[in-house]
Amino acid sequence: MPDFPLDLTFGEALTLAAAWHTGQYRKAPAGQTPSVPYVSHLLGVASIALEYGADQTEAIAALLHDALKDGPAHTGRTPEDLRAEMSRRFGEPVAALVDGATDDTPPPGSPNAPGRTARPGTCATCPPSPHRPCW
């Protein structure tokens, strides 16, 4: 049996992702109050990535894929500062994957562009991997 694919670093990334998205909810239909914490989306993306054979680096990038877009609004920090921490804690390969999945980096305290949708072809801008689904 192969070695278990995740170690405590994955848990550290999950904790960081939850912290950087604290207070953020999933979008709700018009007229309804959002009630699902945004971290559920990040867990779902990481789950799908792992089910398709992602390694730990890719799974961590899946958890952090919206950090540069949403993190500034929830942390008061710049995207550059968040990226630097991501690279320092989890490695440049994680930060590069997140860069490839990011198309909007608002300044601290500002929300991302309204009405934004997932960018088609995201994987085409990420470093190659046989396992990574588009998120």
Side-chain angles (χ1 to χ4, degrees):
M1 176 175 260
D3 291 334
F4 192 73
L6 303 176
D7 63 26
L8 295 177
T9 307
F10 181 83
E12 293 169 15
L14 175 56
T15 299
L16 186 64
W20 285 356
H21 292 276
T22 296
Q24 185 177 359
Y25 291 95
R26 295 293 313 265
K27 291 179 183 173
Q32 293 184 13
T33 301
S35 62
V36 178
Y38 194 78
V39 73
S40 68
H41 165 66
L42 306 175
L43 288 165
V45 172
S47 174
I48 291 168
L50 287 165
E51 289 176 17
Y52 276 85
D55 62 19
Q56 178 164 274
T57 295
E58 294 164 333
I60 289 172
L63 286 174
L64 299 173
H65 78 274
D66 280 339
L68 303 181
K69 172 182 69 82
D70 298 326
H74 298 281
T75 66
R77 295 168 59 189
T78 66
E80 296 79 16
D81 185 43
L82 297 174
R83 188 198 187 284
E85 181 175 350
M86 191 183 307
S87 179
R88 179 180 54 77
R89 291 179 68 173
F90 306 111
E92 184 57 27
V94 167
L97 288 169
V98 172
D99 283 342
T102 302
D103 63 352
D104 184 27
T105 54
S110 299
N112 59 311
R116 204 183 134 278
T117 59
R119 177 173 56 161
T122 296
C123 289
T125 65
C126 295
S129 170
H131 305 296
R132 184 174 40 289
C134 289
W135 51 65

